[in-house]
Every structure is written in structure tokens, then in C-alpha cells.
Amino acid sequence: MADLILKNGKVVTPDGVRTADVVVENGKIVGIGQGSAGKEIDCSGKYILPGAIDAHVHFREPGMTHKEDFKTGSEAALAGGVTMILDMPNTAPPTVTIESLKEKKALAKEKCKCNFGFHFGITEGNSDILKKVEKDPYVYGFKAYMGESTGGMICSYELLDKVFEIVSKPVVAHAEDQEILEENMREFKGTEDPKMHSEIRSDKCARESVKKILHLAKKHDKKVHIAHVSSMAELEEIRKFKTDKVTCEVTPHHLFLNVHEYENQGNFVKTNPPLRTREDQEALWDAIDKGFVDIIATDHAPHTFEEKDVTYSKAPSGVPGVENMLPLLLNEVNKGRLTIGKVAELVSRRPAEIFGMKNKGKIEVGYDADLIVCDMDLEKTILNDHQKTKCKWTPFNGWKVKGWPVVTVCGGKIIQVLSRL
Ligand code: DOR
Ligand code: ZN
């Protein structure tokens, strides 16, 4: 007999939605149809989706565990229907050596409650180990910070040129041009107005970097993934180069917030790349509609309330997001802006494909039993107090959202069941 059955749900597959039972045994999906098992969950009227995969999080371990750690980060992820995360290398120490990778892996194995993998950092002097690192199954990509952000990591275009020659897994690029950034910082030196953040880290600064990165990727015919695309300007450059090897991501904060938000939240929405105009925001939605955006990932970057609650120049950049991405997107399904199938594609199927995750991203026999049950009628308000992230705040505090993950199954294990079910 099987271990678990998600009974009579609307199962979201790449071929469409059909009502069926999803049968789970030994952590795998063994049937989609009908069956019986020791444990059954009635999913009548609810959608069953593949667990979300967040390909861009900062869980802060090791070194910054006052902001987040693998335990709290993964609890937040699972509460939000995310069953796999890829963690970024700007920790302390940064994940740029074999030893630091080993240390991070050990910490994650011990504490992370969801599936995990890493992006390894590119830095001056570590190119000779990248070939070896690439063989590690926990490494899914290489992170290149073209402009300095939290953690101070930086990669020059010369170094990126060299790295494209070496690696085959995707290079995940933080596309902000360091030279333009420095120029702008000089120009606006002394400002303490949070909204100037979007001027200093201008869309021009992002566009120039995207352009240079894509030229290099094309030259080497290698995979490149542009992280957190925030503006029309970046989209225009990506459009010129788009192939199967050129993929891109947008974040919930760039989709749902714009520069007007500084008035309400000041430094709490200071993030890199910054919030953009309403027109840019609309351009991102339009690019999703046109099938041009490959994935949505959160860039979950928690900082404590106290760290953010200071003057502009002292406040760190970054916003948390991993636990609210899915509810925010399901709310858009209810509003008619997205289909449920599109959500599954953006947060599951495509991230699994781009980063080569075996047996993940789809509800299919033989695939891992990472599953979520979503109640599209459940309406709840996102509240700071309810957050599982260690930082205990969200830029979406007070947002009333309809459509929530109510059951999360990770590797066949039932992780959470909201009481209403
Ligand atoms: O705003 C940001 N915060 N952008 C990044 O690139 C890094 C992140 C962080 O780690 O806090
Ligand atoms: Zn990031």
C-alpha cells in the first residue's frame, strides 16, 4: 500500500489540469489516478501543484544567522509552498572556496528542512577550482555580482569572460554595472533620501551590465541567467539576445511594488536592483504574459528590523520574500492576471529545467513527491507577526490575499497542513 494519497484534487500538470488522486510512496510520485494509502488527504476543490522552487534566496548561513539561518529560512519556505531553494554565496565567509562550500553543505544538511542547492560565487582568484566545483551535485550555478551589493562580492567583465570559458552550468548574473554605480554614487553622495536609491542604481546601470554580460555569454555560447530583471531597459537588451541559453528571472517585489513604495516603507524597500517605475512594473507583467520571463524567484534577502530602521546610507539592501511569493501569485490567478498552469511553470517547471534539477518541477510518475495543495478560496492577510522568517517582517504586511498553499509535502513527508483543511 502507498504511504500517502492526495485525494481528488485538481492536479496541475504541463498538459493541463485534471481531477485525480496523487499517490506517493517512498518520497516519489507513483501514480496519478486513483488509489488508496495509509494516509489520505482530501483535496476536493483544491489544486495540487508541484512544490515551488525558489532559485534565489539568501539564507545567511554561515556568518549572518541573526538575520536568518537554514532552519528558519526553510520553515518560511515550506510555509509558503516552496519545497526547494538555491542559496546564494554572499555569506560570511562567502561560498567561493571548496572549504566554504563544504561547510555550507554540512550546515544545510543538518538544518535545512526543504530541498536545497547552491550557487557558487565567482571571485578573482578562484577560477582554477570552478571545473571541480561544477561536478558537485549541490552546485546548480555560479553567481556573478557585476555590481557590488550586500556582501561586497564583485566580478569584472574580464573575469566573467574567463569563467564562461570554463563552466557549463548557468552563470547567474547580478547585472548592475559597477562603473556606472560608482559614478552615480559620487554624484548623489550625502543623500539620505531612500527614493534616491532608484536613481543611484539606475535602469541605465542595469541595462549596460545586461548588455555586456549577454555579449560575453554569446561569445562563448554558454548558459546565462539574468537574476532579478527589474526594468524595461533590461528586458529590451535581453530580447535582443534571447535563446534557450539566455534565461531570466523577476522577483515578486519588482512585480508588486514600485518607486512610490518608498513613501510608505522607506529603507525597508531598499533593495538591489531597486524598485522601478509603474511603467517598468507593467513591462515585467507584460513580459510574463508574452512568455519572455522564464522564472519568478524571490531574492529573499532578510535583514533585521533594527538594521533597516536607520538612515538611508546605513541601511542594508534587500527584502524577504520566500514565504509570500506563492500566495501573491495565487491571488493574481484569482484576479485573472495569471493562470494556475503559468504559475506552476514559472515557479516549478522552468527553474527545475534551467538548473537541471532531476525529477523535480512537475507532477509526473517517478518524480519527487514535492507537492503543494492550494486553496484558491482561502483569504488571509499577510502579517509581520505571522512570518516564519527570522527577520519577522515583510514588505507585504497588511496585504489581503486570496489563494494560499494549505498543505506542503516535501520528499513525501507532510510538512504543514493549515487548520482549515
Ligand atoms: O538587495 C540585495 N540584497 N541585493 C543583493 O544582491 C544581495 C541581497 C542581500 O544579500 O542582502
Ligand atoms: Zn540576491
Side-chain angles (χ1 to χ4, degrees):
M1 204 200 278
D3 304 324
L4 169 70
I5 286 202
L6 301 182
K7 229 174 166 42
N8 202 32
K10 295 184 231 177
V11 183
V12 180
T13 74
D15 307 322
V17 181
R18 66 183 168 114
T19 300
D21 302 343
V22 178
V23 190
V24 173
E25 203 175 304
N26 290 329
K28 298 275 179 196
I29 299 167
V30 295
I32 305 165
Q34 278 187 321
S36 58
K39 170 86 185 155
E40 288 189 6
I41 298 179
D42 179 15
C43 300
S44 305
K46 300 185 178 61
Y47 285 91
I48 305 176
L49 280 85
I53 296 168
D54 190 345
H56 189 154
V57 305
H58 300 264
F59 278 0
R60 307 298 192 201
E61 196 160 0
M64 290 177 272
T65 51
H66 66 289
K67 299 177 197 273
E68 195 77 285
D69 59 45
F70 278 116
K71 179 176 175 288
T72 53
S74 61
E75 284 169 355
L78 289 163
V82 172
T83 53
M84 174 146 188
I85 55 99
L86 297 182
D87 188 56
M88 286 295 171
N90 59 338
T91 40
T95 318
V96 295
T97 62
I98 306 267
E99 295 70 44
S100 58
L101 176 63
K102 215 167 141 189
E103 183 191 3
K104 190 177 262 196
K105 207 190 297 179
L107 286 165
K109 278 188 178 165
E110 186 197 329
K111 296 170 75 176
C112 195
K113 299 183 175 177
C114 63
N115 301 294
F116 59 86
F118 310 111
H119 293 304
F120 192 79
I122 297 169
T123 193
E124 208 62 59
N126 77 350
S127 354
D128 55 327
I129 59 167
L130 300 183
K131 207 66 239 163
K132 179 171 178 205
V133 165
E134 188 160 54
K135 295 203 182 85
D136 190 317
Y138 284 95
V139 172
Y140 287 85
F142 293 94
K143 181 71 184 283
Y145 281 96
M146 307 317 292
E148 210 172 307
S149 190
T150 313
M153 292 177 67
I154 190 83
C155 171
S156 66
Y157 296 104
E158 292 71 32
L159 178 57
L160 186 63
D161 194 8
K162 190 164 152 191
V163 168
F164 273 131
E165 185 78 47
I166 301 168
V167 303
S168 300
K169 285 184 177 172
V171 169
V172 178
H174 180 118
E176 289 186 289
D177 190 85
Q178 185 63 16
E179 219 177 286
I180 301 181
L181 261 185
E182 283 174 16
E183 252 169 56
N184 292 350
M185 278 178 191
R186 274 194 297 275
E187 185 181 338
F188 294 104
K189 199 170 178 337
T191 185
E192 286 299 351
D193 181 354
K195 73 170 180 295
M196 293 315 285
H197 196 61
S198 293
E199 306 290 327
I200 295 168
R201 305 187 84 107
S202 62
D203 60 347
K204 176 167 176 259
C205 159
R207 177 204 282 270
E208 285 313 304
S209 189
V210 166
K211 200 192 293 182
K212 290 184 196 162
I213 293 162
L214 294 183
H215 268 292
L216 291 174
K218 188 176 173 190
K219 172 176 155 193
H220 295 280
D221 191 28
K222 287 290 174 71
K223 289 182 195 153
V224 68
H225 179 76
I226 307 292
H228 38 51
V229 173
S230 57
S231 65
M232 210 181 305
E234 290 156 87
L235 287 169
E236 277 168 16
E237 293 307 320
I238 297 169
R239 193 163 286 131
K240 293 181 199 157
F241 289 86
K242 191 87 170 87
T243 62
D244 287 353
K245 286 188 173 163
V246 175
T247 56
C248 67
E249 134 198 330
V250 298
T251 69
H253 49 275
H254 291 113
L255 282 173
F256 291 101
L257 306 172
N258 61 50
V259 285
H260 296 287
E261 202 57 35
Y262 290 117
E263 286 155 34
N264 305 321
Q265 302 197 55
N267 293 325
F268 285 85
V269 289
K270 177 182 178 187
T271 187
N272 305 334
L275 299 183
R276 304 290 187 197
T277 64
R278 194 162 283 157
E279 290 72 36
D280 286 308
Q281 198 187 348
E282 278 314 308
L284 297 181
W285 280 107
D286 187 52
I288 288 181
D289 282 349
K290 297 206 163 92
F292 186 74
V293 170
D294 294 277
I295 73 169
I296 297 178
T298 64
D299 195 4
H300 176 80
H303 297 286
T304 66
F305 190 92
E306 292 72 27
E307 285 167 335
K308 283 289 216 179
D309 195 24
V310 291
T311 52
Y312 166 71
S313 59
K314 293 204 175 68
S317 294
V319 292
V322 73
E323 76 197 274
N324 299 308
M325 167 173 70
L326 199 68
L328 287 167
L329 295 176
L330 295 177
N331 191 49
E332 294 305 310
V333 173
N334 270 323
K335 281 161 64 182
R337 179 127 76 161
L338 289 171
T339 64
I340 193 92
K342 185 71 183 177
V343 171
E345 176 190 320
L346 288 164
V347 303
S348 276
R349 184 166 66 76
R350 290 295 288 142
E353 281 171 4
I354 291 168
F355 294 104
M357 297 165 185
K358 244 180 107 212
N359 297 328
K360 295 209 182 287
K362 276 192 268 191
I363 300 183
E364 213 169 279
V365 171
Y367 272 55
D368 294 348
D370 298 333
L371 300 159
I372 47 182
V373 181
C374 297
D375 181 345
M376 296 305 288
D377 300 318
L378 178 59
E379 203 165 16
K380 273 202 316 170
T381 302
I382 298 173
L383 290 172
N384 285 346
D385 279 356
H386 293 173
Q387 302 301 300
K388 296 213 186 301
T389 171
K390 204 180 268 187
C391 75
K392 283 275 170 203
W393 66 271
T394 156
F396 303 106
N397 183 45
W399 285 41
K400 198 172 186 189
V401 167
K402 191 172 173 187
W404 286 83
V406 288
V407 178
T408 306
V409 175
C410 189
K413 251 175 66 187
I414 305 165
I415 305 286
Q416 78 148 12
V417 181
L418 281 192
S419 53
R420 212 184 96 148
L421 204 84

